[in-house]
């Protein structure tokens, strides 16, 4: 996305404006990455993000310690996952497919969401459900790090958004009887423009 920046917003005097010509800028890709120091694995994770400003999400890295092909699904919804935790009907599919895992300590990139990039307005919450069809999605039991941390507490943040502590998902496919385990920190990265 290209934006034209008004020269009067950048320069302090007429001489600088004269020398400048037309200025164009593009948004730089940004990311917020969590830890890849996992201590658990299962089928999936659910977690919320809260934005401080509007972002355009164009990709995500998921984490598996495997270096072979895995089948993944990524879902989202514009509210906290706590409202409909184990009902798949409340989720919208962002992307599904097979990808070769990058192995221990490395995120596996997922790009080109169904329907294009996802816009999340500033001050809003969005939730994600990331799953594999095997128990090879890695994440962190954050309760072992901080005794009093709860699901919904801030896990990691930057000036644009925060990723909250979520849950792990005990089976695939997701069903109303699926067991969810709280206080889990998703391992991965969100790639976006702000």
């Amino acid at each position: 996305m290209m934006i034209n920046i008004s020269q009067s917003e950048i320069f302090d005097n007429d001489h600088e404006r004269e020398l400048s010509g037309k200025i164009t800028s593009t948004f730089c890709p940004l990311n917020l990455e969590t830890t890849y120091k996992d201590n658990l694995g299962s089928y999936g994770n659910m977690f919320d993000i809260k934005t401080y400003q509007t972002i355009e999400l164009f990709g995500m890295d998921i984490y598996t310690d495997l270096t072979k092909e895995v089948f993944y699904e990524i879902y989202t919804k514009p509210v906290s996952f706590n409202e409909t935790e184990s009902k798949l009907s409340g989720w919208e599919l962002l992307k599904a497919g097979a990808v070769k895992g990058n192995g221990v300590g490395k995120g596996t990139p997922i790009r080109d969401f169904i329907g294009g990039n996802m816009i999340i307005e500033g001050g809003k919450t969005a939730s994600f459900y990331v799953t594999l069809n095997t128990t090879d999605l890695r994440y962190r039991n954050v309760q072992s790090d901080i005794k009093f941390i709860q699901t919904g507490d801030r896990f990691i943040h930057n000036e644009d958004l925060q990723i909250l502590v979520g849950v792990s998902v005990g089976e695939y496919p997701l069903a109303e009887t699926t067991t969810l385990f709280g206080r889990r920190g998703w391992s991965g990265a969100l790639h976006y423009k702000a």
Side-chain angles (χ1 to χ4, degrees):
M1 171 186 288
M2 300 289 285
I3 59 169
N4 290 325
I5 300 174
S6 166
Q7 294 169 357
S8 62
E9 294 177 56
I10 297 174
F11 300 106
D12 293 333
N13 63 50
D14 290 334
H15 178 70
E16 288 177 332
R17 275 191 212 101
E18 253 180 75
L19 297 174
S20 70
K22 185 175 181 182
I23 297 173
T24 324
S25 177
T26 59
F27 289 110
C28 295
L30 303 165
N31 74 309
L32 181 57
E33 184 174 89
T34 67
T35 180
Y36 292 114
K37 292 181 180 177
D38 62 289
N39 58 11
L40 287 172
S42 189
Y43 290 98
N45 290 120
M46 292 179 189
F47 61 95
D48 290 342
I49 69 166
K50 289 187 178 180
T51 57
Y52 300 125
Q53 62 179 321
T54 299
I55 66 166
E56 181 179 347
L57 185 68
F58 64 86
M60 177 183 288
D61 292 354
I62 62 173
Y63 182 44
T64 178
D65 56 0
L66 301 178
T67 55
K68 65 179 186 176
E69 192 171 82
V70 295
F71 180 77
Y72 69 90
E73 296 171 21
I74 301 172
Y75 296 87
T76 189
K77 60 182 172 175
V79 294
S80 174
F81 74 87
N82 286 316
E83 295 177 21
T84 58
E85 287 176 358
S86 58
K87 297 176 183 173
L88 192 54
S89 62
W91 295 91
E92 177 184 343
L93 182 66
L94 272 180
K95 181 91 178 196
V99 65
K100 183 179 179 202
N102 282 336
V104 175
K106 300 175 187 171
T108 300
I110 308 295
R111 304 293 186 270
D112 302 320
F113 296 138
I114 296 170
N117 296 349
M118 180 179 173
I119 305 295
I120 306 167
E121 293 180 21
K124 299 293 183 180
T125 297
S127 57
F128 295 90
Y129 166 41
V130 179
T131 189
L132 303 179
N133 65 351
T134 63
T135 59
D136 298 305
L137 192 71
R138 305 299 300 173
Y139 54 88
R140 186 139 191 92
N141 177 353
V142 294
Q143 183 181 3
S144 64
D145 301 324
I146 304 170
K147 186 175 179 99
F148 299 108
I149 198 163
Q150 297 295 317
T151 300
D153 288 349
R154 185 173 61 199
F155 181 45
I156 191 167
H157 72 104
N158 64 17
E159 63 277 359
D160 301 318
L161 66 124
Q162 56 183 316
I163 298 174
L164 306 182
V165 174
V167 298
S168 64
V169 180
E171 64 186 81
Y172 177 89
L174 184 66
E176 287 191 39
T177 58
T178 299
T179 301
L180 303 176
F181 301 92
R183 297 185 258 193
R184 303 301 192 252
W186 175 69
S187 292
L190 298 176
H191 299 278
Y192 66 95
K193 299 174 187 178

